[in-house]
Amino acid sequence: MDNQEIAQAEVLSHIQRQPGRPGDPCVMCIFGAAGDLTKRKLVPALYNLRKAGLLANDFAIVGIAHNPMSNDEFRAKISQEIKQYAGEEVDPGIAGWFAERMYYLTAEFDSKDLYGKLKPFLGKIDKDHSTHGNYFFYLATAPDFFGPVVEQLAGVGLMEENNHSWRRVIVEKPFGRDLDSAKALNKKLLRVANEKQIYRIDHYLGKETVQNILAFRFANGIFEPIWNRRYIDHVQISVCETVGVEQRGSYYDKAGALRDMVPNHIMQLISLTAMEPPVSFQADAVRDEQAKILHAIQPLSSEEVLSRTVRGQYGDGNVEGHHAVAYRNEPDVPHESRTETFVAMKLAIDNWRWADVPFYLRTGKRLSAQNTHIVIQFRRAPFVLFRDTPVNTLMPNQLVLHIQPEEGISLQFAAKVPGSVMHLGAVDMSFEYADYFGTQPSTGYERLLHDCMIGDQTLFQRADMVEAGWCVVSPVLDVWKALPPRNFPNYASGSWGPKEAEELLERDGRRWRNFEK
Ligand code: BG6
């Protein structure tokens, strides 16, 4: 290491030793505490937060679900789940600490009775654990319950804040099924709660690599000057999955890939990539800039939906060496299903920075490799010096933000292949998170839960952002509904999606960048 590297390593290790302040004392009340999200994501995230010193000592959890369970059974279940999903050897001291502060209520979310009981129940826990009257309600429920649960909570006064206490609600996705239902849900929530109390979660914003898009763009002086239409040819955003619909067929078949991934996760990736620098890192300053980008995305006309979008559904095939069944043969999926499991689109952002720079996006299940990345492709160099080199062998510069499973950033550029003639080859300069910062177990929910406990809404979606995302998607949903697909299934499991997705870029003289394992 040279002196600069040693100095950098010291700074990094100093930063890593500063975890931030613990969340406020509070009770976390989970609606849907017996479900998958709670055990796979929320419980391990709470464990990791406690381990990092980011949970207040005065903290308690109340689980609510319709499954009959006593407090003790709930404690035993969560202790077991911590062991199963924490991703490392569990510290028995921490597991015991959680067991002492967990409570459970068996109830249907739509029963009036529940809310009458919940208020005194929370009141007692609040006293016993000195949580200062601070409660947050995590709605890990089916979306139909989001509005009614918050209305009922407000009805018994559980959303009322005073000078000394706060009340917040975290709403999971999907936030609406289209623009109208998202607007209706916002209206319902905002009738009984304040925007500052509503935390619309998108777990993509909990990913370190997604948050790093902002750091990369705005903490470095060298990228922002070239981050515009003058230097950038196009942007590709790919969220490729190898998994199928797993056990979620009944939800997924009503949603489809477009609703499931685009108005939320992919819109976040677009807005962070394309936004203007915010004036500060205050929640509303960042979200104002994100919202501006979402509003600047041009909704597609009906003709454009036909020429600029592609949908697909997986047939059977081979994924990572294993046979995979067709979507229509997955559990809880109708045999004639016309739901899309793949979508690709070409979008335009109508502002000075991005005019004429296409943003191509795609997402799909049962693809060849799991990979989420953003490719920024720069304009080609003028060919003056390399007249004899065929144009298609001159690789354009690409900057790739690798979100997952690889986490890092790479820059592709041309270098001279050693030898007596001038031949060019594409080479990569790359940075990997793990090399500098190591890896720590994380579910992606740690930061978001902690932010809710300290009242920071930067990484949560505001009402206008959610609606702007649906404005982009709604015209596509309408055209697709009017013209049901005739050729499904149209891609094999284990491929890179339907051939029309390749053609979408080929027509413009471009190609998707794929990363195999
Ligand atoms: C969820 C979608 O929101 O995100 C799933 O409902 C998808 O269908 C998942 O698989 C992808 O998240 P991640 O963190 O695995 O990229």
Side-chain angles (χ1 to χ4, degrees):
M1 277 195 185
D2 64 23
N3 348 352
Q4 198 175 345
E5 285 170 334
I6 291 169
Q8 272 168 355
E10 278 168 7
V11 172
L12 288 177
S13 91
H14 177 68
I15 292 169
Q16 282 170 320
R17 275 183 267 118
Q18 296 191 324
R21 74 165 166 99
D24 296 344
C26 61
V27 182
M28 173 179 185
C29 185
I30 309 175
F31 285 80
D36 237 38
L37 182 76
T38 303
K39 76 175 174 206
R40 286 178 194 275
K41 304 288 183 185
L42 303 183
V43 165
L46 288 169
Y47 174 85
N48 292 336
L49 282 175
R50 178 64 188 168
K51 199 167 165 214
L54 290 171
L55 276 192
N57 288 329
D58 301 318
F59 179 73
I61 299 173
V62 173
I64 305 178
H66 65 256
N67 316 45
M69 243 187 295
S70 65
N71 277 346
D72 284 344
E73 285 165 332
F74 182 59
R75 287 173 184 169
K77 175 173 150 48
I78 299 281
S79 302
Q80 180 52 37
E81 288 167 359
I82 292 183
K83 285 199 193 111
Q84 199 175 344
Y85 294 103
E88 60 171 30
E89 181 92 10
V90 167
D91 177 335
I94 300 182
W97 183 85
F98 275 109
E100 285 163 12
R101 56 203 70 240
M102 280 188 316
Y103 304 86
Y104 186 78
L105 272 181
T106 305
E108 299 292 341
F109 305 138
D110 52 4
S111 102
K112 278 225 158 70
D113 247 22
L114 163 65
Y115 302 88
K117 262 199 260 165
L118 186 59
K119 196 172 180 191
F121 191 75
L122 286 173
K124 168 143 188 2
I125 292 169
D126 179 44
K127 247 198 203 121
D128 293 349
H129 291 276
S130 312
T131 49
H132 303 204
N134 298 330
Y135 306 153
F136 74 102
F137 303 96
Y138 198 116
L139 305 192
T141 67
D144 289 349
F145 290 115
F146 296 163
V149 168
V150 180
E151 281 177 336
Q152 298 271 16
L153 290 170
V156 296
L158 279 169
M159 292 304 294
E160 268 164 38
E161 299 186 309
N162 58 42
N163 289 340
H164 309 291
S165 65
W166 50 254
R167 304 287 160 86
R168 296 173 188 148
V169 54
I170 300 188
V171 187
E172 261 295 335
K173 67 170 275 257
F175 198 95
R177 301 189 32 80
D178 52 24
L179 181 58
D180 289 344
S181 55
K183 277 186 173 166
L185 180 54
N186 272 330
K187 217 167 167 186
K188 209 174 235 187
L189 299 182
L190 290 167
R191 241 193 327 252
V192 295
N194 186 308
E195 180 65 40
K196 291 251 172 299
Q197 296 177 282
I198 304 172
Y199 288 65
R200 298 173 193 80
I201 205 165
D202 184 317
H203 79 279
Y204 260 57
L205 290 177
K207 294 181 193 287
E208 287 289 341
T209 40
V210 173
Q211 292 164 32
N212 194 41
I213 299 172
L214 287 185
F216 179 79
R217 289 190 54 201
F218 302 132
N220 296 296
I222 59 173
F223 302 113
E224 218 32 42
I226 54 169
W227 209 260
N228 57 51
R229 65 191 299 273
R230 194 153 170 215
Y231 298 97
I232 293 179
D233 175 75
H234 74 274
V235 176
Q236 298 177 14
I237 297 184
S238 298
V239 182
C240 305
E241 299 188 283
T242 48
V243 290
V245 288
E246 302 175 292
Q247 304 312 313
R248 301 160 71 223
S250 54
Y251 150 75
Y252 195 89
D253 201 64
K254 289 190 206 86
L258 182 60
R259 285 191 176 92
D260 188 47
M261 299 296 286
V262 179
N264 35 64
H265 309 326
I266 291 188
M267 286 299 149
Q268 299 296 342
L269 297 178
I270 295 183
S271 65
L272 294 174
T273 306
M275 70 195 258
E276 294 299 316
V279 288
S280 76
F281 272 111
Q282 295 293 317
D284 275 332
V286 175
R287 297 190 301 175
D288 284 347
E289 295 305 336
Q290 284 185 277
K292 278 189 211 160
I293 283 295
L294 297 174
H295 285 296
I297 299 176
Q298 287 306 290
L300 301 178
S301 65
S302 304
E303 291 74 37
E304 285 168 338
V305 171
L306 298 178
S307 61
R308 295 188 185 188
T309 70
V310 173
R311 54 188 153 164
Q313 186 192 77
Y314 61 82
D316 63 358
N318 218 293
V319 181
E320 296 175 321
H322 299 285
H323 176 70
V325 298
Y327 174 70
R328 291 176 175 184
N329 294 329
E330 297 276 20
D332 304 320
V333 172
H335 285 307
E336 298 296 313
S337 171
R338 291 175 167 191
T339 298
E340 81 286 354
T341 59
F342 178 98
V343 37
M345 283 191 193
K346 174 180 172 184
L347 294 177
I349 298 178
D350 207 9
N351 67 13
W352 277 52
R353 188 189 280 261
W354 296 113
D356 301 326
V357 178
F359 277 63
Y360 299 97
L361 52 98
R362 69 176 163 167
T363 181
K365 295 207 181 279
R366 286 282 188 235
L367 297 181
S368 175
Q370 188 214 350
N371 220 298
T372 299
H373 57 261
I374 301 170
V375 175
I376 314 290
Q377 179 158 322
F378 292 91
R379 292 187 187 280
R380 288 176 195 275
F383 301 122
V384 185
L385 275 180
F386 306 104
R387 276 188 216 292
D388 298 335
T389 314
V391 170
N392 59 0
T393 62
L394 265 185
M395 296 295 291
N397 295 126
Q398 285 186 338
L399 180 81
V400 185
L401 308 176
H402 300 270
I403 310 285
Q404 63 183 20
E406 278 74 39
E407 300 189 328
I409 294 169
S410 61
L411 177 66
Q412 177 180 273
F413 58 95
K416 180 181 174 301
V417 178
S420 52
V421 279
M422 182 58 122
H423 277 315
L424 299 174
V427 296
D428 249 340
M429 206 154 66
S430 69
F431 146 75
E432 282 182 35
Y433 263 82
D435 293 346
Y436 282 77
F437 304 106
T439 50
Q440 279 164 351
S442 161
T443 68
Y445 280 72
E446 288 81 356
R447 166 81 194 264
L448 299 172
L449 290 175
H450 180 254
D451 281 354
C452 178
M453 294 182 222
I454 61 172
D456 183 346
Q457 291 187 298
T458 313
L459 298 180
F460 292 86
Q461 300 203 74
R462 227 170 35 192
D464 56 327
M465 294 165 70
V466 173
E467 291 176 16
W470 279 115
C471 282
V472 177
V473 164
S474 278
V476 183
L477 287 171
D478 293 344
V479 174
W480 283 6
K481 189 171 166 204
L483 296 172
R486 301 223 192 106
N487 60 345
F488 278 5
N490 61 348
Y491 71 97
S493 287
S495 68
W496 283 108
K499 66 174 188 340
E500 291 83 352
E502 305 298 328
E503 290 163 5
L504 181 71
L505 269 70
E506 276 164 16
R507 281 203 295 274
D508 296 343
R510 300 176 173 122
R511 283 173 58 192
W512 292 106
R513 178 109 184 246
N514 293 327
F515 294 89
E516 298 283 355
K517 273 226 170 105

